[in-house]
Amino acid sequence: MALVIEEPGSAGGAPRWLLVRRPDDDPDLPGVWGLPAGSHADGETDEALLARIGREKLGVETEDLGRLGAGHLDRTDYRLEMRLHAARIVAGEPRVPQSAPGITQYSDWGWKPPSELRDGAARGSLCCRLALDLQAASGE
C-alpha cells in the first residue's frame, strides 16, 4: 500500500504531495523519491497498515480517506501488487528516519509536486507509476 498525502492548504492550486526518498543503499530503488509505502503483515487490515506506515515510517498519525486505485507489476520472481490510498495527517509532523527496525526507512521527505515521481516510475517504482496515472486521469 502507498499513501497519497496532499499538503494541507494546497487544494485549488498545484497539488503538492508528501514524498519520501529511499536510502542510497536501498536494494531495489536507491535514492528514489516516492510515496510512503509498506507491505501487509500476516492478517493485517488495510486500515492497520495505513496507520503503521504513518507511525513507523513518518512518525505521524494518519487517517484513511479512501482507496484511489490499484495495480500490479510482474518482477522476476514474484508479482508486486499495490493499492493507493488517500490519507491525511491528523497528528504530528513527519520525521525521517524513524527507529522501527526491519523495515525500509526513508532518508528525506518533502512536500513536492507529483511530477517528482517521474524518475521513480521510470526506474520501476509501481507506486510512482500508479500515482502518476491517477494524476493524469484526474487532469491535474
Side-chain angles (χ1 to χ4, degrees), residues 89-129:
I89 296 171
V90 295
E93 291 291 324
R95 291 179 321 280
V96 297
Q98 292 293 307
S99 59
I103 60 174
T104 299
Q105 290 294 328
Y106 305 121
S107 61
D108 199 2
W109 77 276
W111 297 109
K112 299 185 177 288
S115 60
E116 293 287 324
L117 298 172
R118 288 184 187 131
D119 177 60
R123 291 173 59 186
S125 168
L126 179 57
C127 72
C128 290
R129 189 192 83 207

Side-chain angles (χ1 to χ4, degrees), residues 4-25:
V4 175
I5 302 172
E6 190 166 314
E7 182 179 26
S10 71
R16 288 167 39 107
W17 295 347
L18 191 155
L19 302 186
V20 291
R21 186 177 184 275
R22 296 179 75 94
D24 290 332
D25 63 354

Side-chain angles (χ1 to χ4, degrees), residues 42-79:
D42 288 340
E44 187 174 36
T45 65
D46 283 353
E47 184 176 271
L49 174 57
L50 187 137
R52 185 167 57 83
I53 292 168
R55 191 175 49 256
E56 293 183 359
K57 294 196 167 199
L58 300 171
V60 300
E61 296 299 319
T62 54
E63 177 184 17
D64 188 359
L65 300 177
R67 186 171 164 172
L68 298 171
H72 69 274
L73 179 65
D74 291 321
R75 297 266 170 106
T76 304
D77 298 331
Y78 63 97
R79 172 176 270 200

